[in-house]
């Protein structure tokens, strides 16, 4: 297997955001390793697939995601089956720093960890 490259992982991250924008639960689930770890201003959470589906289905609006664009992406390859993608975005007028950890399981890339923190 080839080591991850920036274009490949960035494409996956964009697919994830597209799934959030369109509330495509199945696409988001297929890109997620469960349980997934999510950190942000509200703390650290470990989310299993059922909880994740409930969260996605409970979203009343995806408007806050519509204008999201990944800026200044940087890829750190940890090994041939793991990489960190760091970048910044703007969500509802707030600048955020994001980190996603992508791992390859059974030949398929999935996101195992995502952190989103506001820039103060």
């Amino acid at each position: 297997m080839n080591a991850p490259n920036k274009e490949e992982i960035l494409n996956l991250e964009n697919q994830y955001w597209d799934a959030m924008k369109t509330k495509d639960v199945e696409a988001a689930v297929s890109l997620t390793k469960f349980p997934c770890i999510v950190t942000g201003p509200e703390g650290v959470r470990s989310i299993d697939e059922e909880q994740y589906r409930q969260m996605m289905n409970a979203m009343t609006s995806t408007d806050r995601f519509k204008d999201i664009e990944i800026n200044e992406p940087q890829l750190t390859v940890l090994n041939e089956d793991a990489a960190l993608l760091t970048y910044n975005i703007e969500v509802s007028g707030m600048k955020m720093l994001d980190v996603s950890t992508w791992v390859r399981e059974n030949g398929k890339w999935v996101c195992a960890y995502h952190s989103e923190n506001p820039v103060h």
Side-chain angles (χ1 to χ4, degrees), residues 71-108:
N71 299 303
E72 301 177 32
Q74 296 181 25
L75 186 72
T76 302
V77 175
L78 302 176
N79 61 46
E80 70 177 23
D81 293 319
L84 299 175
L85 183 67
T86 58
Y87 57 93
N88 61 67
I89 60 172
E90 194 169 309
V91 180
S92 304
M94 184 181 297
K95 290 186 188 266
M96 308 292 272
L97 299 176
D98 285 38
V99 179
S100 290
T101 302
W102 288 88
V103 296
R104 186 170 16 210
E105 285 190 335
N106 304 317
K108 182 177 182 279

Side-chain angles (χ1 to χ4, degrees), residues 15-34 36 47-60 62 65 108 110:
Q15 286 178 43
Y16 212 118
W17 280 113
D18 289 346
M20 298 298 288
K21 291 174 185 179
T22 60
K23 199 174 172 179
D24 186 340
V25 177
E26 294 311 312
V29 165
S30 75
L31 290 165
T32 305
K33 175 182 174 30
F34 294 103
C36 66
I47 303 168
D48 66 25
E49 185 174 340
E50 182 180 332
Q51 291 170 314
Y52 188 86
R53 287 178 180 279
Q54 289 173 356
M55 285 173 36
M56 285 284 293
N57 286 319
M59 281 194 312
T60 54
T62 58
F65 302 126
K108 182 177 182 279
V110 287

